[in-house]
Amino acid sequence: MGIVLGGKKGGIIGSLITIVVGLGLVVGVYLYNRAVDKKTDGWQHATACVVRYDERRESDDDGYDYKYREIVEYEVNGVTYVKPSNVWSSVRPSIGAYREIAYNPDNPEDCVFVSGRSVLIVILYAVGGLFAAVGAFAFVYTLVKYRNK
């Protein structure tokens, strides 16, 4: 005998889980963004140039897919630094493209990629907010639907 959640109880539990996942995503993105901003507070911004990229081949159910990560070069006080991105993408980077970075003035080798970060954060906030809103709608809908039953 298994437990089957349906009706009012299943709708309420499912909607609450959706709300928690959505709010968890929003809070997680906020805390991550705050931690990065705190780490980079007072750091200098610079423009880095994509000088090459790493490539790796991954296998999935559909066959093979290639992933790339860009490697950028930037200069601070006459010293050139090379930094690989932490992000792998299916889009091949363009050699010669520019990326905004922030680096620690006390240790210029320590840097983070700023380009694209704001777009990703907006997308994650939107997805989290959408989950929370859908969960809230489902919760209210379930309460209204089963109010008279």
Side-chain angles (χ1 to χ4, degrees):
M1 249 182 156
I3 297 175
V4 177
L5 292 177
K8 182 177 181 180
K9 190 173 186 179
I12 289 174
I13 291 172
S15 60
L16 290 175
I17 289 171
T18 305
I19 291 169
V20 169
V21 167
L23 291 177
L25 184 58
V26 168
V27 170
V29 169
Y30 171 77
L31 293 175
Y32 170 77
N33 193 39
R34 197 167 140 206
V36 170
D37 285 345
K38 186 176 180 181
K39 175 184 176 180
T40 61
D41 186 36
W43 284 22
Q44 300 297 315
H45 285 246
T47 301
C49 182
V50 177
V51 292
R52 63 182 185 277
Y53 55 86
D54 287 334
E55 177 180 287
R56 71 178 180 202
R57 190 169 102 166
E58 294 183 353
S59 176
D60 61 13
D61 293 341
D62 297 333
Y64 292 102
D65 189 21
Y66 287 91
K67 299 290 183 185
Y68 309 92
R69 76 170 173 181
E70 55 195 20
I71 300 171
V72 299
E73 190 174 271
Y74 59 100
E75 187 176 313
V76 178
N77 299 325
V79 178
T80 301
Y81 297 91
V82 177
K83 173 84 173 183
S85 172
N86 292 330
V87 177
W88 290 83
S89 170
S90 60
V91 178
R92 182 179 297 152
S94 298
I95 304 298
Y98 292 99
R99 301 287 179 258
E100 183 184 357
I101 61 154
Y103 67 88
N104 182 347
D106 298 327
N107 179 15
E109 194 170 8
D110 187 10
C111 83
V112 295
F113 287 70
V114 177
S115 298
R117 184 172 145 233
S118 59
V119 172
L120 179 61
I121 288 169
V122 168
I123 291 169
L124 291 174
Y125 272 133
V127 169
L130 182 63
F131 264 76
V134 167
F137 176 79
F139 181 79
V140 170
Y141 176 80
T142 302
L143 290 179
V144 169
K145 181 177 177 181
Y146 290 102
R147 180 176 50 175
N148 296 326
K149 290 186 179 186

